[in-house]
Amino acid sequence: MFILSPFLAARFTRIVRGETLSVRERDYVAVAKVIGSPTYRILLRHILPNVFNTIIVLATLEVGHLILLESSLSFLGVGVPPPQPAWGQMVADGREFVSSAYWVALFPGLAILAAVLSLNLFGDWLRDTLDPRRRQL
């Protein structure tokens, strides 16, 4: 995961930068500048809370993407070395037993599905919970 992460960092930074530039142009940020708020206060009070949801959702989606990418590489045999367990390698090992013992390949595949789906649902729930536009006063 740590080796694959830098390859996906460009997408992450591009989306977060775009969201930051969008929030920076809103009226409440301009008002905070006019009344003389320091830059760090504008960043921490106005921009970061509105960009934080994007960061969380994107991070959970990217972790799910990394899990799928690593399991695909392990399935093809170019992932982690064989003594280390990997879900993709477990699915690949179970290919020859599909007709007689399908569960050897099924359960690691379901574990991949459950991990990615739970991360995506957790990110969606966290976004809804922390969204400043949905807060009830």
Side-chain angles (χ1 to χ4, degrees):
M1 292 264 190
F2 293 115
I3 294 171
L4 297 174
S5 297
F7 296 111
L8 301 174
R11 180 183 325 157
F12 192 87
T13 55
R14 180 176 43 99
I15 292 173
V16 171
R17 181 180 183 272
E19 185 72 20
T20 302
L21 292 176
S22 171
V23 170
R24 185 180 74 174
E25 299 300 322
R26 295 200 180 145
D27 290 337
Y28 54 87
V29 176
V31 169
K33 287 179 186 176
V34 168
I35 64 171
S37 294
T39 304
Y40 73 89
R41 181 167 171 81
I42 293 172
L43 286 172
L44 293 176
R45 178 83 173 131
H46 300 292
I47 294 177
L48 186 62
N50 289 298
V51 175
F52 191 64
N53 298 330
T54 304
I55 293 171
I56 287 175
V57 171
L58 191 59
T60 55
L61 288 174
E62 289 301 318
V63 169
H65 185 244
L66 284 172
I67 290 172
L68 288 174
L69 185 60
E70 189 277 329
S71 62
S72 299
L73 289 173
S74 293
F75 180 80
L76 295 173
V78 292
V80 294
Q84 299 292 327
W87 282 331
Q89 184 64 37
M90 291 177 193
V91 172
D93 291 343
R95 277 186 299 186
E96 59 193 57
F97 302 112
V98 170
S99 61
S100 61
Y102 64 89
W103 56 87
V104 176
L106 178 70
F107 289 126
L110 289 176
I112 295 168
L113 174 79
V116 173
L117 184 63
S118 64
L119 279 170
N120 288 340
L121 291 175
F122 176 71
D124 190 39
W125 172 81
L126 206 53
R127 178 193 50 127
D128 290 342
T129 303
L130 297 177
D131 192 359
R133 290 173 287 235
R134 294 182 182 228
R135 285 189 189 149
Q136 308 238 342
L137 297 176

